[in-house]
Amino acid sequence: MNKKLIALFLGTSLVLAACGGGDKSSENGADDGKSYVDDSAGAKIYKQNCINCHGDNLQGVSGPNLQEVGAKQSKDDIEKIILEGKGGGMPKGLVKGKDAETVAQWLSEKK
């Protein structure tokens, strides 16, 4: 009975170790320990519309990394991309109107 219990414990430990439970910061591109997504209005819009392509921490998935997008582009430039799309990967109109302005302002602060 003891051997079975030990084998079960070791097996469970190996499965848990293989499936994760470690430091998630290296998985999502946030090696610097910063959290890029907060509870602001812009972040909420981002979470609803952009997270699938740009990642849960702005690290980029199928879309580009946005962690420092505000250092490269102005709020107006970001808003234009949100409204009109860019290239073949960024579709236009995912976020519209005031929401587009809000998320563009929020992203422009990421430097």
Side-chain angles (χ1 to χ4, degrees):
M1 179 70 172
N2 252 353
K3 289 182 182 181
K4 288 182 182 180
L5 188 57
I6 291 172
L8 178 64
F9 176 74
L10 288 175
T12 303
S13 298
L14 288 173
V15 169
L16 289 175
C19 292
D23 182 9
K24 297 224 180 238
S25 65
S26 61
E27 292 175 22
N28 65 16
D31 293 335
D32 58 6
K34 291 182 183 177
S35 177
Y36 293 89
V37 180
D38 52 41
D39 290 329
S40 68
K44 289 176 185 176
I45 296 166
Y46 175 88
K47 287 177 187 177
Q48 293 171 350
N49 299 283
C50 313
I51 201 167
N52 288 335
C53 294
H54 296 287
D56 61 346
N57 211 16
L58 307 175
Q59 78 275 13
V61 181
S62 61
N65 180 314
L66 300 176
Q67 292 174 343
E68 296 179 359
V69 69
K72 300 169 190 159
Q73 297 181 333
S74 70
K75 176 212 168 256
D76 291 337
D77 292 339
I78 295 168
E79 186 174 357
K80 182 177 180 182
I81 293 169
I82 292 168
L83 293 172
E84 298 177 7
K86 185 173 181 180
M90 176 66 184
K92 68 178 182 178
L94 287 177
V95 181
K96 299 176 183 171
K98 187 71 174 164
D99 284 351
E101 182 180 346
T102 300
V103 77
Q105 176 63 46
W106 179 73
L107 286 169
S108 72
E109 296 167 2
K110 305 301 175 197
K111 298 181 181 188

